[in-house]
Amino acid sequence: MSEKRVHLSRTEPAAYQALDAFSTTVSEICAANGIDDRLKELVMIHCSQLNGCAYCTRIHVDRAVAAGIDVDTLTQVPTWRESGVFSDRECAALELAEAFTFIHEDGIPDDVYDRVGSVFTEKEYAALSWACVSINAFNRIVIAGRYPVAPRAAK
C-alpha cells in the first residue's frame, strides 16, 4: 500500500473539520443520553474492525484503554457473540454496530431493531446510531486515503 492517495482531510479540510465537529456533537449526545465512553468505544472499534480500518481501530483501542477497557475484553470484540465478557447492553450495541456497518445488505433488520430496542431507550438507541454513522464516515475517509498505520516503537 505504498501508493499515494488523496487525503480528503488535507485536500478539503473544511469538510473534514465539519465531520470532526459532528463527531464531537455525537460524543456529547452519547454522554447526555447515558452512553458511557466504554460502550461508545466498543462500538467505534467494532465498526472500524468490520470495515477493515486499521487507523481508526488503533485510535479507538487507545481511547478504550483510556476509558478502562482491559486487553482481554478488547481481544474479544470480534468474537463477541461467542464471548461471555460482554453485558447485554454491550452485546446489543455491538449488534447495532454490525447492522449499521452492513446497512447496505438488509437495512436495520426488524429482529435487530427489536432486540436492541428492548435493551436501550429511544435516546440511547439514537445516540448509538449516530455514533455508528460517525465512525462509518471516518472509516470510509481513512480507507479511501489509505492512511498509514506504522508499527509503534517498542517500550
Side-chain angles (χ1 to χ4, degrees):
M1 293 207 317
S2 62
E3 175 185 343
K4 185 175 173 166
R5 295 280 180 112
V6 170
H7 281 218
L8 298 175
S9 59
R10 291 184 200 138
T11 305
E12 289 295 341
Y16 189 83
Q17 290 163 358
L19 182 59
D20 193 47
F22 169 69
S23 176
T24 298
T25 299
V26 167
S27 290
E28 292 166 357
I29 289 168
C30 285
N33 291 332
I35 304 301
D36 63 18
D37 286 343
R38 174 187 170 93
L39 189 56
K40 183 183 73 169
E41 293 306 329
L42 288 173
V43 165
M44 300 297 197
I45 291 166
H46 197 41
C47 289
S48 296
Q49 288 174 332
L50 293 169
N51 282 318
C53 186
Y55 187 90
C56 291
T57 298
R58 176 180 276 175
I59 288 170
H60 290 287
V61 164
D62 288 348
R63 290 178 184 175
V65 169
I69 301 177
D70 61 88
V71 172
D72 181 63
T73 301
L74 290 172
T75 63
Q76 297 297 311
V77 171
T79 58
W80 68 269
R81 281 186 174 84
E82 291 78 29
S83 175
V85 304
F86 298 103
S87 69
D88 289 343
R89 284 174 62 84
E90 291 166 341
C91 288
L94 292 167
E95 186 170 22
L96 186 64
E98 290 176 358
F100 265 92
T101 300
F102 301 121
I103 201 163
H104 62 281
E105 292 178 0
D106 296 316
I108 306 294
D110 290 341
D111 62 324
V112 172
Y113 182 83
D114 292 342
R115 254 191 317 279
V116 173
S118 73
V119 175
F120 293 110
T121 66
E122 182 177 339
K123 289 285 209 176
E124 291 169 328
Y125 179 92
L128 285 169
S129 295
W130 281 117
C132 292
V133 169
S134 175
I135 192 59
N136 275 285
F138 276 110
N139 291 164
R140 278 144 182 79
I141 292 165
V142 170
I143 291 167
R146 292 190 179 165
Y147 287 35
V149 181
R152 288 189 169 152
K155 291 182 181 179

